[in-house]
PDB file of all heavy atoms in Angstrom:
ATOM      1  N   ARG A  26       8.704 -21.070  -9.020  1.00 97.00           N
ATOM      2  CA  ARG A  26       9.058 -22.246  -9.898  1.00 97.00           C
ATOM      3  C   ARG A  26      10.348 -21.945 -10.580  1.00 97.00           C
ATOM      4  O   ARG A  26      10.685 -20.820 -10.899  1.00 97.00           O
ATOM      5  CB  ARG A  26       7.960 -22.500 -10.930  1.00 97.00           C
ATOM      6  CG  ARG A  26       8.016 -23.853 -11.625  1.00 97.00           C
ATOM      7  CD  ARG A  26       7.600 -24.961 -10.643  1.00 97.00           C
ATOM      8  NE  ARG A  26       7.659 -26.253 -11.300  1.00 97.00           N
ATOM      9  CZ  ARG A  26       8.507 -27.213 -10.899  1.00 97.00           C
ATOM     10  NH1 ARG A  26       9.357 -26.956  -9.908  1.00 97.00           N
ATOM     11  NH2 ARG A  26       8.530 -28.386 -11.486  1.00 97.00           N
ATOM     12  N   LEU A  27      11.219 -23.037 -10.709  1.00 97.00           N
ATOM     13  CA  LEU A  27      12.567 -22.888 -11.276  1.00 97.00           C
ATOM     14  C   LEU A  27      12.845 -24.161 -12.022  1.00 97.00           C
ATOM     15  O   LEU A  27      12.702 -25.236 -11.523  1.00 97.00           O
ATOM     16  CB  LEU A  27      13.573 -22.651 -10.198  1.00 97.00           C
ATOM     17  CG  LEU A  27      15.047 -22.525 -10.562  1.00 97.00           C
ATOM     18  CD1 LEU A  27      15.286 -21.144 -11.202  1.00 97.00           C
ATOM     19  CD2 LEU A  27      15.962 -22.713  -9.323  1.00 97.00           C
ATOM     20  N   TRP A  28      13.279 -24.022 -13.312  1.00 96.00           N
ATOM     21  CA  TRP A  28      13.622 -25.188 -14.046  1.00 96.00           C
ATOM     22  C   TRP A  28      14.644 -24.894 -15.145  1.00 96.00           C
ATOM     23  O   TRP A  28      14.876 -23.752 -15.517  1.00 96.00           O
ATOM     24  CB  TRP A  28      12.332 -25.762 -14.741  1.00 96.00           C
ATOM     25  CG  TRP A  28      11.749 -24.874 -15.829  1.00 96.00           C
ATOM     26  CD1 TRP A  28      11.934 -24.930 -17.171  1.00 96.00           C
ATOM     27  CD2 TRP A  28      10.814 -23.822 -15.584  1.00 96.00           C
ATOM     28  NE1 TRP A  28      11.216 -23.955 -17.780  1.00 96.00           N
ATOM     29  CE2 TRP A  28      10.502 -23.280 -16.862  1.00 96.00           C
ATOM     30  CE3 TRP A  28      10.176 -23.238 -14.490  1.00 96.00           C
ATOM     31  CZ2 TRP A  28       9.617 -22.214 -17.099  1.00 96.00           C
ATOM     32  CZ3 TRP A  28       9.332 -22.158 -14.659  1.00 96.00           C
ATOM     33  CH2 TRP A  28       8.999 -21.683 -15.894  1.00 96.00           C
ATOM     34  N   GLU A  29      15.300 -25.991 -15.570  1.00 95.00           N
ATOM     35  CA  GLU A  29      16.359 -25.815 -16.643  1.00 95.00           C
ATOM     36  C   GLU A  29      15.711 -26.158 -17.962  1.00 95.00           C
ATOM     37  O   GLU A  29      14.927 -27.119 -18.089  1.00 95.00           O
ATOM     38  CB  GLU A  29      17.532 -26.770 -16.327  1.00 95.00           C
ATOM     39  CG  GLU A  29      18.316 -26.371 -15.096  1.00 95.00           C
ATOM     40  CD  GLU A  29      19.566 -27.243 -14.916  1.00 95.00           C
ATOM     41  OE1 GLU A  29      19.611 -28.359 -15.487  1.00 95.00           O
ATOM     42  OE2 GLU A  29      20.445 -26.788 -14.164  1.00 95.00           O
ATOM     43  N   MET A  30      16.101 -25.371 -18.957  1.00 93.00           N
ATOM     44  CA  MET A  30      15.669 -25.626 -20.335  1.00 93.00           C
ATOM     45  C   MET A  30      16.687 -26.450 -21.079  1.00 93.00           C
ATOM     46  O   MET A  30      17.879 -26.058 -21.137  1.00 93.00           O
ATOM     47  CB  MET A  30      15.462 -24.285 -21.067  1.00 93.00           C
ATOM     48  CG  MET A  30      14.476 -23.341 -20.362  1.00 93.00           C
ATOM     49  SD  MET A  30      12.771 -23.926 -20.505  1.00 93.00           S
ATOM     50  CE  MET A  30      12.474 -23.679 -22.265  1.00 93.00           C
ATOM     51  N   CYS A  31      16.259 -27.561 -21.580  1.00 89.00           N
ATOM     52  CA  CYS A  31      17.199 -28.522 -22.286  1.00 89.00           C
ATOM     53  C   CYS A  31      16.518 -28.926 -23.635  1.00 89.00           C
ATOM     54  O   CYS A  31      15.295 -28.897 -23.787  1.00 89.00           O
ATOM     55  CB  CYS A  31      17.416 -29.767 -21.483  1.00 89.00           C
ATOM     56  SG  CYS A  31      18.067 -29.451 -19.819  1.00 89.00           S
ATOM     57  N   SER A  32      17.379 -29.276 -24.586  1.00 83.00           N
ATOM     58  CA  SER A  32      16.818 -29.775 -25.828  1.00 83.00           C
ATOM     59  C   SER A  32      16.561 -31.228 -25.720  1.00 83.00           C
ATOM     60  O   SER A  32      17.134 -31.958 -24.871  1.00 83.00           O
ATOM     61  CB  SER A  32      17.872 -29.524 -26.995  1.00 83.00           C
ATOM     62  OG  SER A  32      19.019 -30.302 -26.803  1.00 83.00           O
ATOM     63  N   ILE A  33      15.687 -31.789 -26.549  1.00 77.00           N
ATOM     64  CA  ILE A  33      15.375 -33.189 -26.575  1.00 77.00           C
ATOM     65  C   ILE A  33      16.599 -33.983 -26.974  1.00 77.00           C
ATOM     66  O   ILE A  33      16.833 -35.120 -26.487  1.00 77.00           O
ATOM     67  CB  ILE A  33      14.175 -33.452 -27.565  1.00 77.00           C
ATOM     68  CG1 ILE A  33      12.940 -32.762 -27.025  1.00 77.00           C
ATOM     69  CG2 ILE A  33      13.952 -34.951 -27.717  1.00 77.00           C
ATOM     70  CD1 ILE A  33      11.728 -32.916 -27.952  1.00 77.00           C
ATOM     71  N   VAL A  34      17.402 -33.388 -27.847  1.00 80.00           N
ATOM     72  CA  VAL A  34      18.611 -34.065 -28.362  1.00 80.00           C
ATOM     73  C   VAL A  34      19.588 -34.336 -27.279  1.00 80.00           C
ATOM     74  O   VAL A  34      20.227 -35.364 -27.189  1.00 80.00           O
ATOM     75  CB  VAL A  34      19.249 -33.309 -29.530  1.00 80.00           C
ATOM     76  CG1 VAL A  34      20.504 -33.963 -30.032  1.00 80.00           C
ATOM     77  CG2 VAL A  34      18.247 -33.148 -30.680  1.00 80.00           C
ATOM     78  N   ASP A  35      19.775 -33.318 -26.382  1.00 84.00           N
ATOM     79  CA  ASP A  35      20.761 -33.397 -25.293  1.00 84.00           C
ATOM     80  C   ASP A  35      20.171 -32.887 -24.001  1.00 84.00           C
ATOM     81  O   ASP A  35      20.416 -31.749 -23.598  1.00 84.00           O
ATOM     82  CB  ASP A  35      22.012 -32.594 -25.729  1.00 84.00           C
ATOM     83  CG  ASP A  35      23.160 -32.806 -24.689  1.00 84.00           C
ATOM     84  OD1 ASP A  35      23.013 -33.605 -23.776  1.00 84.00           O
ATOM     85  OD2 ASP A  35      24.220 -32.168 -24.838  1.00 84.00           O
ATOM     86  N   PRO A  36      19.401 -33.701 -23.328  1.00 81.00           N
ATOM     87  CA  PRO A  36      18.673 -33.275 -22.122  1.00 81.00           C
ATOM     88  C   PRO A  36      19.598 -33.080 -20.915  1.00 81.00           C
ATOM     89  O   PRO A  36      19.158 -32.547 -19.924  1.00 81.00           O
ATOM     90  CB  PRO A  36      17.764 -34.432 -21.811  1.00 81.00           C
ATOM     91  CG  PRO A  36      18.337 -35.633 -22.482  1.00 81.00           C
ATOM     92  CD  PRO A  36      19.061 -35.142 -23.703  1.00 81.00           C
ATOM     93  N   THR A  37      20.868 -33.416 -21.036  1.00 84.00           N
ATOM     94  CA  THR A  37      21.809 -33.208 -19.922  1.00 84.00           C
ATOM     95  C   THR A  37      22.609 -31.884 -20.024  1.00 84.00           C
ATOM     96  O   THR A  37      23.406 -31.568 -19.151  1.00 84.00           O
ATOM     97  CB  THR A  37      22.830 -34.367 -19.911  1.00 84.00           C
ATOM     98  OG1 THR A  37      23.621 -34.372 -21.059  1.00 84.00           O
ATOM     99  CG2 THR A  37      22.099 -35.703 -19.794  1.00 84.00           C
ATOM    100  N   ASN A  38      22.357 -31.155 -21.129  1.00 89.00           N
ATOM    101  CA  ASN A  38      23.116 -29.882 -21.370  1.00 89.00           C
ATOM    102  C   ASN A  38      22.111 -28.743 -21.464  1.00 89.00           C
ATOM    103  O   ASN A  38      21.742 -28.347 -22.552  1.00 89.00           O
ATOM    104  CB  ASN A  38      23.911 -30.030 -22.621  1.00 89.00           C
ATOM    105  CG  ASN A  38      24.849 -28.812 -22.852  1.00 89.00           C
ATOM    106  OD1 ASN A  38      25.169 -28.089 -21.869  1.00 89.00           O
ATOM    107  ND2 ASN A  38      25.148 -28.587 -24.087  1.00 89.00           N
ATOM    108  N   PRO A  39      21.714 -28.102 -20.315  1.00 92.00           N
ATOM    109  CA  PRO A  39      20.696 -27.038 -20.360  1.00 92.00           C
ATOM    110  C   PRO A  39      21.329 -25.829 -21.065  1.00 92.00           C
ATOM    111  O   PRO A  39      22.495 -25.455 -20.960  1.00 92.00           O
ATOM    112  CB  PRO A  39      20.524 -26.708 -18.930  1.00 92.00           C
ATOM    113  CG  PRO A  39      21.658 -27.257 -18.141  1.00 92.00           C
ATOM    114  CD  PRO A  39      22.166 -28.462 -18.970  1.00 92.00           C
ATOM    115  N   PHE A  40      20.416 -25.085 -21.779  1.00 94.00           N
ATOM    116  CA  PHE A  40      20.847 -23.875 -22.547  1.00 94.00           C
ATOM    117  C   PHE A  40      20.271 -22.630 -21.793  1.00 94.00           C
ATOM    118  O   PHE A  40      20.641 -21.480 -22.212  1.00 94.00           O
ATOM    119  CB  PHE A  40      20.442 -23.948 -24.013  1.00 94.00           C
ATOM    120  CG  PHE A  40      18.958 -24.045 -24.196  1.00 94.00           C
ATOM    121  CD1 PHE A  40      18.043 -23.007 -24.141  1.00 94.00           C
ATOM    122  CD2 PHE A  40      18.420 -25.352 -24.453  1.00 94.00           C
ATOM    123  CE1 PHE A  40      16.697 -23.128 -24.349  1.00 94.00           C
ATOM    124  CE2 PHE A  40      16.991 -25.487 -24.679  1.00 94.00           C
ATOM    125  CZ  PHE A  40      16.173 -24.399 -24.613  1.00 94.00           C
ATOM    126  N   ALA A  41      19.454 -22.835 -20.785  1.00 96.00           N
ATOM    127  CA  ALA A  41      18.909 -21.686 -20.065  1.00 96.00           C
ATOM    128  C   ALA A  41      18.275 -22.138 -18.796  1.00 96.00           C
ATOM    129  O   ALA A  41      17.954 -23.330 -18.605  1.00 96.00           O
ATOM    130  CB  ALA A  41      17.903 -20.927 -20.904  1.00 96.00           C
ATOM    131  N   ILE A  42      18.054 -21.255 -17.852  1.00 97.00           N
ATOM    132  CA  ILE A  42      17.273 -21.524 -16.636  1.00 97.00           C
ATOM    133  C   ILE A  42      16.106 -20.531 -16.610  1.00 97.00           C
ATOM    134  O   ILE A  42      16.277 -19.308 -16.794  1.00 97.00           O
ATOM    135  CB  ILE A  42      18.150 -21.282 -15.387  1.00 97.00           C
ATOM    136  CG1 ILE A  42      19.281 -22.293 -15.358  1.00 97.00           C
ATOM    137  CG2 ILE A  42      17.302 -21.451 -14.119  1.00 97.00           C
ATOM    138  CD1 ILE A  42      20.255 -22.054 -14.192  1.00 97.00           C
ATOM    139  N   ASP A  43      14.954 -21.057 -16.480  1.00 97.00           N
ATOM    140  CA  ASP A  43      13.743 -20.234 -16.403  1.00 97.00           C
ATOM    141  C   ASP A  43      13.130 -20.285 -14.996  1.00 97.00           C
ATOM    142  O   ASP A  43      13.328 -21.292 -14.243  1.00 97.00           O
ATOM    143  CB  ASP A  43      12.680 -20.673 -17.441  1.00 97.00           C
ATOM    144  CG  ASP A  43      12.838 -19.947 -18.742  1.00 97.00           C
ATOM    145  OD1 ASP A  43      14.011 -19.637 -19.109  1.00 97.00           O
ATOM    146  OD2 ASP A  43      11.879 -19.647 -19.401  1.00 97.00           O
TER     147      ASP A  43
END
Side-chain angles (χ1 to χ4, degrees):
R26 195 73 181 113
L27 179 75
W28 67 95
E29 293 185 342
M30 302 290 291
C31 305
S32 69
I33 296 177
V34 177
D35 187 3
T37 63
N38 184 24
F40 58 83
I42 298 173
D43 268 35

